[in-house]
Amino acid sequence: MEKTAGKKKEVPGRRLVDLVLSWSIKDVRNEDLYKNQVRQIPLKFSTTTEYMNSFTYPLIEETHADLLSSISTLHLAPSCEILSFKQTKDFKPPKDIFYLVTLKSVSGLQKNGGYEPMIGDIIALTNVRPKFKDLDRPNRPFLVAFVQRVKDDNILTILASKPILAEERENKKRETLYAICLINMTTNIRIWRALNSQLEGKNLDIIGKVLQPNSAVRNHSLL
């Protein structure tokens, strides 16, 4: 398959995105997938690392719950037709499965009540307008992607969970593929990056002071 050139752009919140793309349809349907990993957030923290880590699994569980909810009503989700796709120069399986995707024109999508993907979306890629059970068929395994970039409203750079396998029909025309809207991860990615950032200087000092026992009493005594 032809590869297209372009400057590589890092995927924000890559570890969280990779985790979401790694979930099988069985994982998504499992309401208790992270039940034993989410613990009650304590009232006191001994370190900034403990503070940050205490919110990580609740965020993952919330992302999982959002995805489960959207897939449960998948037959109602808006979609858009994919006209073409090709690997980018950064296509390096098994992790960096990047494609440049061209959609039908935005005007056409709007007229048909379709969906225009946005940066941060998780979309399902399928050759049918699926119901819940259609997302993981023997000849069409569960395939989702993260929308990394949008150009000119209808050209996307996506990171897929698996290589796209589009069959050609007898007349040599590729089967029609659709992008189905699932969730948008922009807000969750921002939170994830904040929780996993390397804090330095005054920011780290402020958090450290807030986490100290009786910090409120100490601050009050200075007023």
Side-chain angles (χ1 to χ4, degrees):
M1 180 179 290
E2 178 186 359
K3 294 188 178 182
T4 181
K7 185 178 180 180
K8 184 176 181 180
K9 182 179 180 181
E10 294 298 323
V11 176
R14 180 65 190 264
R15 285 198 298 139
L16 179 60
V17 172
D18 282 345
L19 178 62
V20 172
L21 296 183
S22 73
W23 291 335
S24 65
I25 190 65
K26 182 179 179 180
D27 291 334
V28 175
R29 295 178 64 181
N30 182 4
E31 296 182 2
D32 299 324
L33 185 63
Y34 290 96
K35 180 179 180 180
N36 296 325
Q37 299 182 58
V38 176
R39 295 177 173 80
Q40 184 176 357
I41 297 176
L43 297 177
K44 296 181 180 180
F45 305 91
S46 58
T47 65
T48 54
T49 299
E50 181 185 355
Y51 172 78
M52 298 298 185
N53 289 343
S54 65
F55 292 96
T56 298
Y57 276 109
L59 178 62
I60 293 174
E61 184 184 44
E62 179 182 342
T63 305
H64 177 267
D66 289 343
L67 189 57
L68 172 59
S69 177
S70 68
I71 285 183
S72 299
T73 57
L74 191 65
H75 61 289
L76 300 175
S79 66
C80 59
E81 183 177 338
I82 296 175
L83 295 181
S84 65
F85 64 90
K86 56 184 176 181
Q87 300 169 0
T88 73
K89 69 179 183 63
D90 299 314
F91 184 92
K92 297 177 182 178
K95 289 292 185 180
D96 294 338
I97 307 176
F98 289 98
Y99 289 97
L100 192 68
V101 174
T102 302
L103 308 176
K104 272 193 172 181
S105 64
V106 174
S107 58
L109 289 173
Q110 292 173 338
K111 289 179 181 178
N112 296 322
Y115 167 70
E116 180 186 356
M118 298 183 296
I119 293 174
D121 280 351
I122 293 292
I123 56 177
L125 303 176
T126 176
N127 63 339
V128 296
R129 285 285 297 149
K131 295 182 180 179
F132 191 92
K133 62 182 180 180
D134 294 326
L135 277 182
D136 195 37
R137 293 166 290 158
N139 62 335
R140 181 68 62 176
F142 184 57
L143 176 59
V144 293
F146 174 78
V147 179
Q148 180 193 18
R149 190 184 309 173
V150 180
K151 179 182 178 182
D152 298 331
D153 295 327
N154 70 326
I155 300 177
L156 315 177
T157 301
I158 65 170
L159 172 62
S161 59
K162 300 181 182 72
I164 301 174
L165 302 177
E167 300 176 355
E168 291 186 349
R169 302 183 186 279
E170 292 183 1
N171 60 5
K172 302 301 181 181
K173 184 178 180 181
R174 178 181 58 78
E175 62 183 344
T176 301
L177 293 179
Y178 299 94
I180 315 292
C181 172
L182 297 179
I183 61 173
N184 185 279
M185 290 184 59
T186 299
T187 299
N188 288 13
I189 286 174
R190 287 173 180 166
I191 297 173
W192 176 270
R193 296 181 71 184
L195 292 176
N196 290 275
S197 63
Q198 296 296 320
L199 299 175
E200 298 178 353
K202 293 183 179 180
N203 289 333
L204 185 60
D205 291 340
I206 291 173
I207 292 179
K209 290 179 180 179
V210 170
L211 297 180
Q212 289 177 1
N214 301 320
S215 60
V217 175
R218 293 180 182 180
N219 290 338
H220 181 72
S221 64
L222 296 176
L223 297 178

